[in-house]
């Protein structure tokens, strides 16, 4: 990759499609930074949960979100999310935080604050950024846009296995139900709903393993980038 040129790669899709695993690997292959925007929404959700704000209290969320100072930095290429001075990486990947992130990310004030931060990163450096609205809103001029999907049952099973591998209890039916709810909320919210950008390439990973998905996406990235020369 030409090191002088800033390359932006957007990967969007529903919860559990494998976006972060794939985006991380693509970033490594290309030698650029991986930005997990979901983690920023999760950090905001953690802040709101700790503040005792209810997921459906839009006014309180709008007021309180101003007090959250969220920043991201990179240590050895890994993203560190800082919330009011505290590294909160370890607290972000629970279902409770994920569900609150889905609920609070419908709020325009929350989105405005985090989108600004994400856009600044994409301007400054080459990034692979994953989320829900990256190709449509955050980086509309990204050179490569991928929409990564998989069937609900497949995504629920992947999450279920992740919990078991971590030795945590999990209920497959409950996970599937939560994924359905999150999909619906992420796709039907008024501001920046999850949708495939018109110029995004859709990849369905239902029948692909990680390596196969990565291979497919890298081929798309290479084709797009080489076409730019
Ligand atoms: O990708 P994730 O599961 O970590 O995201 C958590 C929630 O954050 C997701 O349900 C919707 C929200 N989100 C968003 O609205 N926009 C993004 N760019 C990324 C995540």
């Amino acid at each position: 990759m030409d090191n002088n040129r800033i390359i932006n790669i957007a990967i969007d899709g529903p919860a559990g499609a494998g976006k972060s695993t794939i985006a991380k690997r693509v970033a490594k292959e290309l030698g650029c930074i991986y930005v997990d925007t979901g983690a920023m929404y999760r950090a905001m959700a953690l802040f709101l949960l700790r503040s005792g704000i209810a997921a459906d209290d839009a006014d309180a969320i709008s007021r309180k979100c101003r007090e959250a100072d969220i920043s991201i930095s990179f240590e050895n290429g890994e993203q560190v999310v800082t919330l009011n001075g505290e590294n909160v990486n370890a607290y972000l990947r629970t279902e409770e935080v994920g569900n609150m992130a889905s609920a609070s990310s419908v709020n325009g004030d929350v989105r405005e604050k985090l989108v600004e931060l994400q856009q600044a990163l994409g301007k400054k450096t080459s990034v692979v950024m994953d989320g829900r609205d990256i190709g449509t809103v955050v980086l509309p001029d990204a050179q490569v846009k991928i929409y990564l999907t998989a069937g609900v049952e497949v995504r629920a099973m992947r999450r279920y296995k992740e919990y078991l591998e971590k030795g945590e209890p999990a209920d497959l039916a409950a996970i599937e139900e939560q994924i359905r709810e999150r999909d619906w909320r992420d796709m039907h919210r008024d501001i920046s709903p999850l949708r495939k950008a018109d110029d995004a390439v859709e990849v369905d990973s239902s029948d692909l393993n990680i390596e196969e998905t990565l291979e497919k996406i890298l081929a798309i990235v290479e084709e797009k980038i080489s076409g730019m020369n």
Side-chain angles (χ1 to χ4, degrees):
M1 197 169 75
D2 175 353
N3 289 328
N4 296 318
R5 190 168 54 192
I6 288 183
I7 302 280
N8 285 177
I9 297 174
I11 302 184
D12 290 299
K19 294 186 302 289
S20 62
T21 308
I22 295 298
K24 232 179 254 175
R25 296 275 303 268
V26 172
K28 202 166 176 196
E29 289 283 331
L30 301 179
C32 53
I33 279 170
Y34 161 58
V35 182
D36 170 4
T37 64
M40 298 181 188
Y41 286 93
R42 285 169 182 267
M44 179 63 83
L46 179 69
F47 175 73
L48 296 169
L49 284 170
R50 283 177 172 179
S51 308
I53 305 280
D56 59 357
D57 190 346
D59 287 344
I61 291 174
S62 284
R63 230 179 308 116
K64 200 73 191 170
C65 77
R66 295 190 207 122
E67 294 171 26
D69 182 16
I70 293 167
S71 62
I72 68 167
S73 56
F74 298 89
E75 282 175 20
N76 304 322
E78 289 290 313
Q79 174 175 273
V80 176
V81 184
T82 306
L83 168 64
N84 295 337
E86 176 192 357
N87 175 346
V88 290
N89 275 17
Y91 308 111
L92 303 181
R93 308 234 61 91
T94 66
E95 286 304 301
E96 186 192 18
V97 169
N99 289 331
M100 182 61 163
S102 175
S104 56
S105 63
V106 304
N107 186 291
D109 296 302
V110 168
R111 302 205 70 82
E112 196 181 321
K113 192 166 173 149
L114 298 182
V115 166
E116 219 168 85
L117 199 62
Q118 293 153 11
Q119 287 178 330
L121 281 167
K123 221 171 228 158
K124 198 169 68 181
T125 181
S126 290
V127 292
V128 178
M129 198 177 280
D130 78 359
R132 304 292 187 289
D133 57 341
I134 311 305
T136 51
V137 174
V138 179
L139 304 174
D141 298 326
Q143 292 90 339
V144 187
K145 297 182 186 178
I146 307 283
Y147 190 77
L148 184 62
T149 61
V152 175
E153 293 84 0
V154 175
R155 290 186 280 133
M157 182 56 85
R158 287 178 186 162
R159 274 280 146 93
Y160 176 69
K161 285 185 180 160
E162 275 172 21
Y163 281 111
L164 296 191
E165 274 161 25
K166 282 192 278 183
E168 290 173 21
D171 174 344
L172 181 59
I175 292 174
E176 187 176 321
E177 185 51 36
Q178 277 173 354
I179 286 185
R180 278 185 204 281
E181 263 174 43
R182 270 174 68 182
D183 280 0
W184 196 91
R185 212 164 30 213
D186 293 349
M187 289 173 183
H188 292 86
R189 66 183 178 217
D190 291 338
I191 312 168
S192 312
L194 168 63
R195 72 169 181 85
K196 178 182 163 294
D198 295 335
D199 50 351
V201 180
E202 183 162 343
V203 174
D204 186 330
S205 73
S206 300
D207 299 320
L208 305 175
N209 63 28
I210 290 170
E211 295 306 323
E212 291 164 336
T213 311
L214 180 69
E215 205 174 296
K216 203 163 185 171
I217 290 180
L218 281 175
I220 296 166
V221 169
E222 251 141 52
E223 189 193 314
K224 296 269 179 195
I225 291 180
S226 65
M228 285 161 41
N229 293 323

